Amino acid sequence: MSRRFKTPQGAFSVEALGMTMRFGDFTALDDVSIKIEAGSFHALLGENGAGKSTIVKAIMGFYRATAGTVLVADREVEMTDPKVAQSLGLGMVYQHFTLVPSLTAAENLVISRADAPAIINWKTERAALEAFLARMPFSVPLDQPVNRLAAGEKQKLEILKQLYLGHRFLILDEPTSVLTPAEADEVLGHVRALTRAGELTVLMITHKFREVMAFADDLTVLRRGKRVGGGKVADLTPADMAAMMMGEAPTPSNRQRATVSGKVVLQLDGVRAMDRSGLKPIAIDGVALRAGEILGVAGVSGNGQMELMEILTGQRHLSSGKIILNGAPYTATRAQAKQHKVRYLPEEPMRNACAPRMSVAENLAFRSFDENGGEKPAFWKDSTAMARNADSLISAFNVKTSSPSARISSLSGGNVQRAVLARELTGNVEVLIVSNPCFGLDFSAVATIRDRLVEARNRGVAILLISEDLDEIMELSDRIIVMSEGHIAFETPIATANVAEIGHYMAGHA
Amino acid sequence: MDPVDIGLWGVPLAILAGAIRVSTPFLFVSLGECLTERSGRINLGLEGTLIFGAMSGYAVAYETGSPFLGVGAAALAGVVFGLVHGWICKFKGVNDIAIGIALMLLGTGLAFFFGKPYIQPVAPKLPSISLGGWSDVPQVQSALQVNVLFLVGAILAVFLWWMFRSTRVGLVIRVVGDSTDAARAMGLNADRVRLLSTAAGGAFAGVAGAYLSLYYPGSWNEGISSGQGLMAVALVIFARWNPINCFWAALLFGGAGALGPALQSVGVTQGYYLFFAAPYVLTLGLLIATSSPERAMQGAPAELSITK
C-alpha cells in the first residue's frame, strides 16, 4: 500500500506502468506504459477509440485499471478515486467545458476551491485573484459570466482554474478543438512557457500534428489499445506520426474534379436574424451557391455558422431578407425541400436530424417513408421497403448498429453521423447543405465521406460545406467564404486561398 | 376616528395597502420557489404546502395561543413537504413537475381533512406595526399597518440575493442549478443540495400559508388560497430568478389583487369582478410580454426541467 504524500512544489513526473483495462471481453488498453517527465510537454496521439481517454481516465482515477500502476513523482500511488488524483495535484482539462455557464469567471474560480469560505469577501478574493493572474502568462475577464466568454477565453479559464487549484500536472483533452489556429497557438504557447519554467507538467491528447510538432517535447502513439510508438518529437516527422497512428501512411486521395460550370442555385441576400443568445445579429449578404461546386464556409465555432445552418433548415426565424432557391423564395418546408431536392446534414445530427427513440431503420426512412412513386404521399407505411432501405444504407455507409430496429440513440456519435449522411446523400439530390460532415469519424471513414461529397459535386450537386476544420475546407472547396461575428468577412476561390489569410479573417481581424 | 372622504385617492391608496397586505404570501412562496428553482428543481407542490401551512399554523396558534408558534409550525410542515418532494425526486426517472402536482393535491387534501375542526374557532392574529402615525388620515394609517412577516420577507429577499452572490452556500446552489456535471466534477452532491433547497423553499411557502390564516384574511377555511402558490411559480419566471425582483413582482401582484376591491369601495359597480381577475391577467400578460420565441430565457437555471 502506498501512503499519501505531498507532491513537491513545481512540476513533477507521472508514469503509468503496464496499464491494462478490460471492459468485459473488450480490451481497451493492453499493457501500455507511458512516462511523462517533470516539466515536459507530452503529446498523446491516436485515432478515435485508440484508448487515449481510457489511459487518461485510469491515471486520473475515474477508472480502476485491470492491471498496472501509476507513479507520481516516482512514488507508487493507488488511484482509487479522482479525489486522490486531485489531492496529489493532478488536474484535467476536458474537451467540453466544465465551467458553470451563468457564474462569472471569478465565481467559478472561487467556488472550485475545496476550501471556499462560507462567506465570500469579494474584496479580498478579487485582490487574491488579481495577484494570481498577475503571475500567470495570460488573463481572462473576471466579471463576465462564462457563457459570454469566447471559446478561447473559456479554454484559458479552464487551464487557469487548474493552476489556481494548485494542480501541477495537467491532462489536456484536445484543448484546441474549439479554438482558432491563432488562439490555439497562443494558449499552447503559454502552456509550454509554464512547462519550460518548471511550473507544470503536461500531457495533451490531440490529433493535430501541427500542434505536436510546434509545442510538444515527447510523444506517445496509441493504436487499438496498444502503444505503437513514441519518442522525442524532434526526432520525428508528421509522416512518421501518421504511419504510427494508422499503421501505414494514408494514401492521399486523388479525386478527379470535373469542371462543372453551373447556374446559381441558392442565394442569400440581406438575410437578417438574431443569434442563439438573442443579443448578436446575424447578417448574411451576397452568398451565391452554384450547381457543381463546393462552397466552403470557414469560421471558428460560435461565429454564426450554427445560425446559418438553422436559417437554411428553417429552424431560425428571419427578421428580414429571403432565401432564394432556383429563383423562388424558399422557407425550408418539407414540400419545398422535396421539390428542390435539398438535403441537410445539420450540426448535432442526433438533436437536429433524428428522432432519438425511433429505430435506425425508421430514422433512415425519414426522406422516403411517405413516398410511393406517385404524386400523393403514401398513406400506409411500407415496412418491407423501409427494411430494404435500411439494410442497403447500413451496409453502404458502414453504420455500426446492433440491428436496424435498435434505437438510433444507442449508436455512437460517429455512427449517427454516418446514418444521417447515408439518408441525406442517397437519392436524387441537387442541393446539399452539410455541417462538419466528418466530425468524430475515423480516418478511413473521413476519406470515404469526402470522396462521396466530391463525387456528388461532379454530378452537378451544389454543396454548401460549413466546417470548423479548415483542412477539410481547403481540401474540398472550390470557393471559400469566412464567417466572423455573424457575417461573411471574406471570400476567395480555392486557387488563391491562403490559410494564414483565412485564419486572419476567422479571428475577426478584418 | 371617522373616515375622511378622500375620494378617488382611495384607489391608489387601496392599491398600496393591498400591495403590502396581499403581497406577503406571494413574496414568501416566490422566494421559496426561487430558492428551489435556483438549485435546478421546480416544486409545483408549494400551493399544497401553502394550504397545509395555513391550516397547521392556524391550528397550532389556536391550541397554544401564540401566533408565532403557529408560524413556526407552518414552516415545519413546509419543511416536511419539501423534504418529501426532494427525496422522491432524487430517484431516476421521476419528474419533479408530476411529483409537485401530486404533492399539491396531497397537501390540500390533508389540510382539509385535519382542518375541519378549526373552521369555527378563532385563533390569535399576528401583530402588525403602524407605520402611518405621521398622517392624520385614518385610511393612510390603516393602509400602513404593516405586518411583521412583510418586513421579514423583504429582509429575506435581500438576504437571498446576498447569499446567491457572496456565500459558499449560495454559489453551490447556483452551480448545482446550472450544471449537474460541473457540480459532480466539484464533488458536490447535487441531490442533497436540491433536497435542502426544496425543504427551505417549502418552509417559506408554509409561512406564506400561516400569513393567510393568521393575518389576512385571517381565518382558516377551505377557500383560503386563491392560487397564490401556483402564481408564485409564474412570478419567479417573471422575476428572472432574482430574489429582489421577486419582491417587486410580489408587490405588483398584490397591488393588482387589490384593484377589484378598491374600485368597488369607491362605488364602481359595473364589471369590478373583471378587476378581481387582474392578477391572473397580469400573470398571463407579463409572461407573454417577457418571453421571446427567438432567444432562450435569460437567467434561467440550466438544469430546470421547464427550460431544458
Side-chain angles (χ1 to χ4, degrees):
Chain A
M1 261 320 271
S2 63
R3 253 184 342 109
R4 291 278 183 88
F5 67 98
K6 283 289 280 183
T7 40
Q9 286 285 313
F12 51 85
S13 69
V14 170
E15 189 171 3
L17 276 176
M19 299 297 272
T20 299
M21 183 84 209
R22 287 195 196 89
F23 300 101
D25 290 341
F26 176 66
T27 305
L29 267 187
D30 189 4
D31 192 26
V32 173
S33 296
I34 176 170
K35 171 148 194 176
I36 306 115
E37 300 282 355
S40 70
F41 194 128
H42 196 111
L44 184 58
L45 268 173
E47 289 199 51
N48 289 317
K52 291 171 299 189
S53 45
T54 312
I55 190 165
V56 159
K57 283 182 175 161
I59 291 176
M60 287 299 292
F62 288 103
Y63 292 156
R64 288 204 76 165
T66 317
T69 47
V70 176
L71 279 74
V72 174
D74 300 320
R75 301 247 209 147
E76 194 177 323
V77 179
E78 201 109 337
M79 285 295 178
T80 45
D81 193 285
K83 280 186 183 154
V84 177
Q86 279 165 19
S87 70
L88 289 170
L90 278 65
M92 181 151 172
V93 175
Y94 300 87
Q95 220 170 337
H96 57 268
F97 298 117
T98 59
L99 298 163
V100 185
S102 71
L103 266 61
T104 65
E107 286 172 335
N108 262 294
L109 287 175
V110 170
I111 198 64
S112 65
R113 241 163 56 198
D115 63 339
I119 291 173
I120 298 155
N121 182 340
W122 278 114
K123 221 179 219 169
T124 55
E125 291 294 344
R126 278 302 298 255
L129 282 173
E130 266 153 27
F132 162 74
L133 287 181
R135 282 188 284 118
M136 290 295 130
F138 51 104
S139 185
V140 286
L142 283 174
D143 291 319
Q144 291 277 330
V146 167
N147 52 22
R148 295 226 190 105
L149 296 181
E153 287 183 313
K154 280 188 204 169
Q155 195 60 275
K156 283 189 217 164
L157 182 58
E158 290 275 6
I159 293 169
L160 282 176
K161 186 172 106 180
Q162 296 299 326
L163 297 170
Y164 177 74
L165 294 174
H167 296 162
R168 292 291 172 262
F169 173 81
L170 287 195
I171 296 174
L172 309 178
D173 187 358
E174 300 196 17
T176 59
S177 53
V178 292
L179 308 184
T180 59
E183 275 180 324
D185 286 353
E186 191 203 339
V187 171
L188 292 182
H190 289 318
V191 170
R192 191 180 52 176
L194 287 167
T195 62
R196 291 280 151 86
E199 296 225 6
L200 193 64
T201 310
V202 169
L203 175 63
M204 176 171 80
I205 299 181
T206 185
H207 52 237
K208 292 183 184 163
F209 294 152
R210 192 185 67 81
E211 287 167 5
V212 176
M213 296 305 292
F215 299 103
D217 304 314
D218 308 288
L219 168 74
T220 296
V221 184
L222 297 183
R223 188 172 75 233
R224 295 193 188 138
K226 290 198 175 77
R227 184 181 186 278
V228 289
K232 291 260 169 240
V233 172
D235 305 338
L236 296 164
T237 64
D240 298 333
M241 295 177 201
M244 285 186 229
M245 256 171 95
M246 282 163 290
E248 68 250 21
T251 46
S253 74
N254 33 11
R255 300 184 184 102
Q256 296 295 320
R257 294 177 86 94
T259 349
V260 194
S261 69
K263 60 176 176 53
V264 173
V265 179
L266 176 75
Q267 252 180 309
L268 280 92
D269 243 317
V271 168
R272 301 285 178 275
M274 278 322 236
D275 81 336
R276 219 165 237 202
S277 66
L279 301 171
K280 283 187 281 178
I282 303 287
I284 314 277
D285 285 299
V287 175
L289 176 66
R290 293 173 177 278
E293 76 163 349
I294 298 181
L295 176 59
V297 181
V300 183
S301 73
N303 273 286
Q305 303 97 310
M306 186 172 63
E307 284 84 358
L308 172 63
M309 191 72 197
E310 288 176 344
I311 286 169
L312 289 167
T313 52
Q315 285 171 293
R316 181 158 294 272
H317 170 78
L318 296 183
S319 52
S320 70
K322 260 188 209 151
I323 307 168
I324 306 289
L325 190 68
N326 293 325
Y330 178 72
T331 52
T333 61
R334 184 174 159 84
Q336 283 176 337
K338 198 178 221 170
Q339 184 201 337
H340 295 291
K341 307 189 176 68
V342 186
R343 296 292 179 86
Y344 301 99
L345 173 73
E347 255 184 76
E348 296 180 64
M350 178 64 95
R351 212 167 66 88
N352 287 313
C354 293
R357 282 156 195 257
M358 290 174 84
S359 73
V360 176
E362 285 165 331
N363 272 284
L364 285 173
F366 276 3
R367 291 281 174 198
S368 58
F369 71 96
D370 58 353
E371 281 179 351
N372 56 2
E375 280 289 297
K376 283 192 177 164
F379 183 81
W380 300 106
K381 164 179 130 172
D382 184 349
S383 304
T384 339
M386 238 154 117
R388 219 182 308 120
N389 172 59
D391 284 339
S392 74
L393 292 184
I394 286 171
S395 63
F397 282 79
N398 199 14
V399 181
K400 288 188 189 99
T401 172
S402 54
S403 108
S405 55
R407 276 184 185 182
I408 198 155
S409 61
S410 67
L411 266 55
S412 74
N415 281 308
V416 172
Q417 185 94 0
R418 266 187 282 235
V420 174
L421 262 174
R423 180 180 84 204
E424 300 295 312
L425 279 178
T426 310
N428 200 349
V429 186
E430 282 181 7
V431 182
L432 190 59
I433 297 162
V434 292
S435 171
N436 295 314
C438 301
F439 192 80
L441 300 182
D442 52 40
F443 265 96
S444 57
V446 166
T448 322
I449 298 293
R450 290 182 183 167
D451 286 343
R452 280 180 198 271
L453 289 176
V454 172
E455 185 197 315
R457 168 202 174 274
N458 292 345
R459 278 205 316 270
V461 177
I463 300 178
L464 187 72
L465 169 70
I466 303 173
S467 178
E468 283 160 31
D469 182 350
L470 196 51
D471 295 340
E472 179 172 68
I473 298 252
M474 294 295 288
E475 184 182 337
L476 295 177
S477 310
D478 298 291
R479 213 147 49 87
I480 297 173
I481 54 180
V482 177
M483 276 198 89
S484 168
E485 315 247 311
H487 65 273
I488 308 295
F490 183 58
E491 179 176 341
T492 172
I494 190 71
T496 59
N498 166 331
V499 175
E501 193 181 11
I502 290 174
H504 188 70
Y505 284 102
M506 278 167 71
H509 306 294
Chain B
M1 251 190 289
D2 292 324
V4 185
D5 186 24
I6 53 170
L8 283 177
W9 280 106
V11 177
L13 192 64
I15 290 175
L16 173 72
I20 294 171
R21 205 169 337 106
V22 183
S23 66
T24 310
F26 281 122
L27 179 57
F28 272 92
V29 183
S30 63
L31 288 179
E33 188 67 31
C34 181
L35 178 61
T36 308
E37 289 190 15
R38 270 295 181 97
S39 78
R41 251 195 213 136
I42 186 160
N43 183 2
L44 284 185
L46 290 189
E47 172 76 8
T49 311
L50 173 113
I51 295 175
F52 195 85
M55 188 284 295
S56 53
Y58 196 80
V60 170
Y62 171 73
E63 300 291 352
T64 62
S66 160
F68 289 105
L69 278 181
V71 172
L76 198 67
V79 167
V80 172
F81 273 95
L83 286 176
V84 171
H85 185 277
W87 177 69
I88 297 175
C89 283
K90 88 173 182 193
F91 296 108
K92 217 171 139 45
V94 172
N95 180 291
D96 50 353
I97 292 179
I99 295 301
I101 292 172
L103 281 178
M104 173 166 77
L105 298 172
L106 177 73
T108 314
L110 284 180
F112 292 173
F113 177 73
F114 290 113
K116 277 276 182 282
Y118 295 100
I119 291 177
Q120 286 298 329
V122 177
K125 278 201 172 190
L126 281 165
S128 59
I129 303 165
S130 297
L131 294 179
W134 49 271
S135 170
D136 298 331
V137 185
Q139 283 96 327
V140 173
Q141 289 181 357
S142 85
L144 290 178
Q145 289 282 325
V146 176
N147 187 270
V148 196
L149 285 183
F150 176 77
L151 300 174
V152 172
I155 294 167
L156 193 62
V158 178
F159 171 80
L160 283 181
W161 172 80
W162 172 79
M163 182 184 91
F164 285 136
R165 202 178 136 267
S166 293
T167 68
R168 184 186 155 81
V169 175
L171 284 185
V172 162
I173 290 172
R174 284 171 60 197
V175 168
V176 170
D178 218 35
S179 165
T180 308
D181 288 337
R184 231 177 255 145
M186 273 177 214
L188 297 173
N189 182 339
D191 281 326
R192 183 171 317 143
V193 173
R194 291 188 182 134
L195 178 76
L196 297 176
S197 302
T198 316
F204 294 172
V207 172
Y211 178 91
L212 285 178
S213 61
L214 292 174
Y215 185 70
Y216 182 83
S219 65
W220 159 246
N221 60 66
E222 296 184 354
I224 190 148
S225 159
S226 43
Q228 281 100 331
L230 282 174
M231 275 197 296
V233 176
L235 201 146
V236 173
I237 298 173
F238 165 57
R240 291 290 178 268
W241 294 271
N242 177 340
I244 303 278
N245 286 350
C246 282
F247 175 75
W248 298 118
L251 275 188
L252 188 68
F253 274 57
L259 190 61
L263 287 175
Q264 198 183 2
S265 70
V266 295
V268 177
T269 50
Q270 288 234 312
Y272 63 83
Y273 263 101
L274 215 54
F275 290 101
F276 279 111
Y280 312 101
V281 176
L282 194 68
T283 311
L284 264 179
L286 284 174
L287 283 181
I288 294 168
T290 56
S291 67
S292 156
E294 288 300 305
R295 59 193 149 82
M297 222 169 332
Q298 295 290 308
E303 286 292 328
L304 220 51
S305 50
I306 49 165
T307 55
K308 259 185 183 169

